[in-house]
Amino acid sequence: MKKLILGLFTFFILQSQCLTADYSNLKQPDEFTCAPTSSLNLIKNICKTCEAPSLNYMKKLQKTDENGTTAFNLCYGLEKYFKTQNKHSDIRYFGIKKVKIYKHSNNFDLLSISNPLNKNYGAILNIGVYTQNSKGEYVRQWGHYVNLISINDKFIEIIDPYNKNSYIDKLQYQTSKDIKLINKKDNEKYIKADKYYVIKTPLNYLQKNETAIINGVITIKLN
C-alpha cells in the first residue's frame, strides 16, 4: 500500500511539473524588450504550429523602442502576427489603462479572468512599478510585462522575462481600495479603479522604495 501511495504521489507531482515544464522561458536581452519577449513565450506556448518569429520582428510589429511598448501596440502587434499565420486571435485587455479597440474597465477583477494555462489560451500580465511621494500617493516610474500562468485568490504564477535566475515565480498579492495611483510619467491614459492589486512578494530587481502594482492583463485566445 505504501508503495502504491508513493507511486501515485510521484505521478501527480510529475504530471503537475509537465504542465509548466514545456512553457517557453525566453529572457529579454535588455531593459526594454519585455513585451516582445513575453509575446514570443506566449506564441511558443499556445501555437505549436506557428512559425516562431524573431525578437527583432516582434519589436518591429509592436513598435518597441527604448521607452518600451504600449499596451495597445503589444495587443495590435500580436494580432498582426497571428494573421500572418492564418490564425484568428481574440485579444482582450482587462485593466486600468485606456487601450483603444481592446476592452478596459474600472471594475477590473483579476479573479474573473480564467486560468490561462489552457490549450490555445494565454495571458500577459502588465505590471506598473511605483514609488510613494510625501502625500502617500503611488507615482508610476516604469512598467513591465510578464507571462501569466495561473491565478487564485492569493497568488499568481508568472514567467518573468527579466528574472534570469527563475522559471516559475509564485507571487502573493493583496487587494487594496485605499491607494491613489499617479500615472503621469506614462504616455498611456488610465482610469481610476475601484480596487488595485498590490504584489507583496519582493521582486529581486526592484529598489526598496518601489512597489509593483498590477495594471492589467492581456488575454489571447486562438480560435
Side-chain angles (χ1 to χ4, degrees), residues 117-200:
L117 194 58
N118 291 313
K119 184 179 179 181
N120 295 333
Y121 190 97
I124 292 174
L125 191 74
N126 180 206
I127 296 172
V129 177
Y130 296 79
T131 59
Q132 278 188 282
N133 62 19
S134 59
K135 298 179 181 179
E137 301 164 327
Y138 287 83
V139 181
R140 191 180 191 276
Q141 303 300 316
W142 49 279
H144 188 40
Y145 295 102
V146 301
N147 294 99
L148 179 61
I149 304 302
S150 68
I151 308 166
N152 64 33
D153 60 352
K154 292 183 179 179
F155 295 95
I156 56 173
E157 288 186 308
I158 65 168
I159 288 179
D160 189 337
Y162 194 73
N163 188 351
K164 294 178 171 56
N165 298 318
S166 180
Y167 181 33
I168 303 290
D169 291 308
K170 186 176 183 179
L171 306 179
Q172 185 176 15
Y173 71 90
Q174 71 178 31
T175 304
S176 177
K177 296 182 179 180
D178 300 322
I179 62 176
K180 181 178 180 180
L181 301 189
I182 305 224
N183 294 292
K184 292 182 179 179
K185 287 192 175 183
D186 196 8
N187 59 357
E188 298 184 86
K189 293 183 178 180
Y190 289 74
I191 55 179
K192 184 178 180 180
D194 295 334
K195 57 186 174 183
Y196 298 98
Y197 300 93
V198 181
I199 294 174
K200 304 304 293 183

Side-chain angles (χ1 to χ4, degrees), residues 23-221:
Y23 204 103
S24 178
N25 187 28
L26 298 174
K27 299 301 183 182
Q28 61 193 88
D30 49 45
E31 299 291 321
F32 53 88
T33 52
C34 55
T37 304
S38 58
S39 296
L40 290 178
N41 281 331
L42 180 138
I43 290 166
K44 287 176 178 290
N45 186 60
I46 70 172
C47 191
K48 304 298 185 185
T49 61
C50 288
E51 182 179 350
S54 68
L55 180 65
N56 284 335
Y57 179 75
M58 288 308 299
K59 285 170 61 178
K60 184 177 179 180
L61 274 186
Q62 296 179 327
K63 298 182 180 180
T64 302
D65 57 24
E66 292 186 356
N67 293 316
T69 311
T70 66
F72 173 79
N73 285 335
L74 190 157
C75 294
Y76 194 55
L78 273 173
E79 188 175 349
K80 288 197 292 184
Y81 162 76
F82 283 121
K83 284 181 179 178
T84 69
Q85 303 299 302
N86 297 315
K87 303 288 185 181
H88 180 266
S89 58
D90 180 7
I91 299 177
R92 304 186 184 192
Y93 176 88
F94 301 90
I96 62 174
K97 288 187 177 183
K98 290 186 177 181
V99 183
K100 59 183 179 181
I101 301 177
Y102 304 99
K103 182 179 179 179
H104 61 270
S105 171
N106 62 342
N107 294 314
F108 170 48
D109 184 0
L110 189 62
L111 286 174
S112 69
I113 299 166
S114 300
N115 189 332
L117 194 58
N118 291 313
K119 184 179 179 181
N120 295 333
Y121 190 97
I124 292 174
L125 191 74
N126 180 206
I127 296 172
V129 177
Y130 296 79
T131 59
Q132 278 188 282
N133 62 19
S134 59
K135 298 179 181 179
E137 301 164 327
Y138 287 83
V139 181
R140 191 180 191 276
Q141 303 300 316
W142 49 279
H144 188 40
Y145 295 102
V146 301
N147 294 99
L148 179 61
I149 304 302
S150 68
I151 308 166
N152 64 33
D153 60 352
K154 292 183 179 179
F155 295 95
I156 56 173
E157 288 186 308
I158 65 168
I159 288 179
D160 189 337
Y162 194 73
N163 188 351
K164 294 178 171 56
N165 298 318
S166 180
Y167 181 33
I168 303 290
D169 291 308
K170 186 176 183 179
L171 306 179
Q172 185 176 15
Y173 71 90
Q174 71 178 31
T175 304
S176 177
K177 296 182 179 180
D178 300 322
I179 62 176
K180 181 178 180 180
L181 301 189
I182 305 224
N183 294 292
K184 292 182 179 179
K185 287 192 175 183
D186 196 8
N187 59 357
E188 298 184 86
K189 293 183 178 180
Y190 289 74
I191 55 179
K192 184 178 180 180
D194 295 334
K195 57 186 174 183
Y196 298 98
Y197 300 93
V198 181
I199 294 174
K200 304 304 293 183
T201 303
L203 302 178
N204 60 12
Y205 47 81
L206 296 189
Q207 302 296 319
K208 288 184 178 180
N209 64 333
E210 291 180 328
T211 300
I213 299 175
I214 296 172
N215 286 167
V217 179
I218 298 163
T219 63
I220 300 94
K221 184 177 181 181

Side-chain angles (χ1 to χ4, degrees), residues 10-23 167-168:
T10 303
F11 170 77
F12 285 121
I13 290 294
L14 290 174
Q15 187 180 50
S16 176
Q17 290 175 342
C18 288
L19 285 175
T20 55
D22 291 335
Y23 204 103
Y167 181 33
I168 303 290

